[in-house]
Amino acid sequence: SVFSMAGEAGKARTVLLATEKAFAAGAVTKIEEVFKAAGNYTLKKLENYKSKDELLAAVADADAMIIRSDIVDQAVVDKAAKMKIVVRAGAGYDNIDLKATEAKGITSMNTPGQNANAVAELVFGMMLTSARNNFDGTSGFELVNRSIAFYGFGAVARAVNKLAKGFGMKSYAYDPFIPADKIKEMGAEPVASVEGLFEHQYVSLHVPLTDQTKESINKALLSKMPKGGTLINTARYEVVHEADMCEVMKARPDICYLCDVGVKNMDAMKEAVGDKMGKRLIVTKKKMGAQTAEANDNAGVAAANQIVGFFEKGETRFSLKA
């Protein structure tokens, strides 16, 4: 390839694994194995670091970096003298300042789809817990023949949809970046607008945080939901207008919110649902969607493989644009 002719392949590379929340030891071993097999790579580990200064010092001599929710901002980019590529092990990448990395010629990537099944199983765990009143001994309802609508139909949404099919649910999706015929081909009924999603009992959010999506799930949309309407958020908490959510849950005792991305104002949320906490309102202790042994391994190993592919073969799939 043109890339190897440019003399990039085969060079000695230092890869920094910078994880404020460390990967499980088993995942790190698998990441190390990828670089060992590739040959001329040194993996430098900065795990469970406590201050930004540690990160700034560590990036100085790295050619590549694997991160999780770690912040790569202008300060990090300024110190990363040799950096060619940053890979976020996971799907969401709003922790990378893409304008800063692009300006310095650093390629940024994510590893979409690696956590998809883990998140999907968690979604169903929350749905079942809510449908069965958190196992309190009272009568609940079944998911079969219910409808679920996806806002965004990427890898995670499609993994949820696969499980929904197994449960005998009807599925719908709206994604501004995927044509309707493609959505149909991938197994959901296309919906023409965001509003159209909220005619269905379950609405699952799978959108990135952007100026368009920030606080876009508001009173107008939530009020459209049918009886037992349930919003599922495994995207970003900022996508939901929280004050509106509280207001709607207060006004309508049938509305539920299942959230794996934290909430800003937990007290207001709890007040809105009263003693139905854990039933109408489920909020995980911390973002747990990708917290499985398998997903941890998958995302870290994918990141390592993408770095090797980038240096040895010039592969740029999953590159992110500002």
Side-chain angles (χ1 to χ4, degrees), residues 156-217:
V156 178
R158 295 199 296 271
V160 178
N161 187 42
K162 189 175 157 192
L163 300 184
K165 290 271 183 269
F167 272 88
M169 297 181 81
K170 301 191 222 10
S171 51
Y172 303 82
Y174 169 74
D175 190 314
F177 303 104
I178 305 178
D181 57 330
K182 260 274 177 280
I183 286 176
K184 208 172 174 66
E185 210 174 283
M186 295 189 298
E189 197 52 48
V191 171
S193 66
V194 178
E195 290 77 25
L197 298 170
F198 285 80
E199 289 162 21
H200 301 285
Q201 181 174 357
Y202 289 95
V203 174
S204 193
L205 305 178
H206 300 278
V207 289
L209 178 60
T210 63
D211 292 340
Q212 283 75 41
T213 63
K214 191 178 182 180
E215 299 199 327
S216 63
I217 309 303

Side-chain angles (χ1 to χ4, degrees), residues 37 77 81 86-87 120 148 152 205 207 236 253 269 283 294 309 316 318 321:
V77 169
V86 174
V87 185
I148 185 166
L205 305 178
V207 289
R236 289 282 185 268
M269 283 274 174
V283 181
E294 295 87 349
T316 55
F318 304 129
K321 293 275 171 278

Side-chain angles (χ1 to χ4, degrees), residues 198-201 223-230 252 254-255:
F198 285 80
E199 289 162 21
H200 301 285
Q201 181 174 357
S223 303
K224 281 187 176 10
M225 294 190 102
K227 189 168 169 41
T230 299
R252 283 186 54 184
D254 60 312
I255 296 279

Side-chain angles (χ1 to χ4, degrees), residues 302-318:
N305 281 319
Q306 284 168 223
I307 286 171
V308 173
F310 174 80
F311 284 125
E312 305 310 321
K313 297 183 194 146
E315 289 170 0
T316 55
R317 196 181 166 204
F318 304 129

Side-chain angles (χ1 to χ4, degrees), residues 65 67 72 83-88 96 106-109:
M65 176 158 67
I67 58 168
V72 175
M83 192 75 65
K84 299 277 191 294
I85 178 170
V86 174
V87 185
R88 149 75 162 127
I96 302 177
I106 298 170
T107 298
S108 300
M109 295 185 187

